[in-house]
Amino acid sequence: MLDAVRRAWEGQADVSLATLFAMLANRGIGWGSSDEDLLCELAELERQHPGELPLIDARVTARYLLQTEEPAHRVTVDPWRIIARRPGVTTQPGVWDYATVRTAVVGGPLVLTSADGIEHRLGVLSRITLLDATPTASVTSLDGLRRRAMGDAVYLIVLEDDSQVLLSGALEHFAAGRRELRQESRSWEQLLRCTPGEAFTVQPGGVDYAAVRQILVVEA
């Protein structure tokens, strides 16, 4: 039992032990709960926020969000790719295929090796969150999606002109020029068209961008 508490707490080391048990209370654990019920809920907390990123042959089989400090990053990792962002910094998300993830433990350094052998050191890992246990490589369409239905989801839309759209409650369009990165932020209410092979069209204004190449899940 104590080992199960330790594992669940390691995944959320920034909360107090009292807060951890308050979280369990919100999941129905109370005076009448059995040890088996408590172990089950602790295991679920550990699954959602593991203290160590589950790896098979140095890769993941699910989709996770990795948050780091010093410097801060939000890193999405799944069986196909890495998507790295700098919160609060206006910069285009980095997307690359990866070869390996070194042992990733909360409180330790996050080091990822790209498919071409380059090591990326992305700070000290502060939290791991399971986003999807059975992810797909990409999204087939977001046609008709409305902003108010987004929730906390974040998508990266890669366009055929090699520009990118980071879509959340706002829309950020990144286009690399010869000497600088051009970034445009705008509000949006609905995606009229967002399907690979078709022009990316946004309301209000019916703004057309280049054709969509790929739609990637960043957070969901």
Side-chain angles (χ1 to χ4, degrees), residues 155-198:
Y155 296 98
L156 183 66
I157 302 163
V158 183
L159 305 180
E160 288 292 356
D161 62 359
D162 292 327
S163 66
Q164 296 179 353
V165 172
L166 188 65
L167 187 74
S168 57
L171 185 153
E172 295 181 88
H173 180 236
F174 298 93
R178 290 185 176 181
R179 297 184 179 179
E180 62 181 4
L181 176 69
R182 298 189 300 274
Q183 187 264 347
E184 170 204 14
S185 296
R186 58 170 292 151
S187 60
W188 68 283
E189 292 300 327
Q190 185 179 13
L191 305 185
L192 297 184
R193 290 184 298 174
C194 186
T195 297
E198 298 184 6

Side-chain angles (χ1 to χ4, degrees), residues 106-120:
V106 172
L110 177 62
V111 182
L112 311 171
T113 304
S114 65
D116 54 8
I118 299 174
E119 283 195 347
H120 298 263

Side-chain angles (χ1 to χ4, degrees), residues 105-159:
V105 179
V106 172
L110 177 62
V111 182
L112 311 171
T113 304
S114 65
D116 54 8
I118 299 174
E119 283 195 347
H120 298 263
R121 299 176 181 273
L122 300 176
V124 177
L125 189 57
S126 60
R127 176 167 289 205
I128 302 168
T129 302
L130 174 65
L131 297 178
D132 192 340
T134 56
T136 56
S138 60
V139 177
T140 56
S141 178
L142 292 177
D143 282 2
L145 178 66
R146 294 183 178 274
R147 181 181 58 81
R148 63 174 178 266
M150 279 281 288
D152 295 327
V154 181
Y155 296 98
L156 183 66
I157 302 163
V158 183
L159 305 180

Side-chain angles (χ1 to χ4, degrees), residues 57-74:
D57 295 329
R59 297 177 65 89
V60 297
T61 59
R63 178 175 290 122
Y64 294 90
L65 175 65
L66 312 180
Q67 295 171 252
T68 69
E69 302 171 343
E70 301 176 3
H73 286 89
R74 293 176 76 86

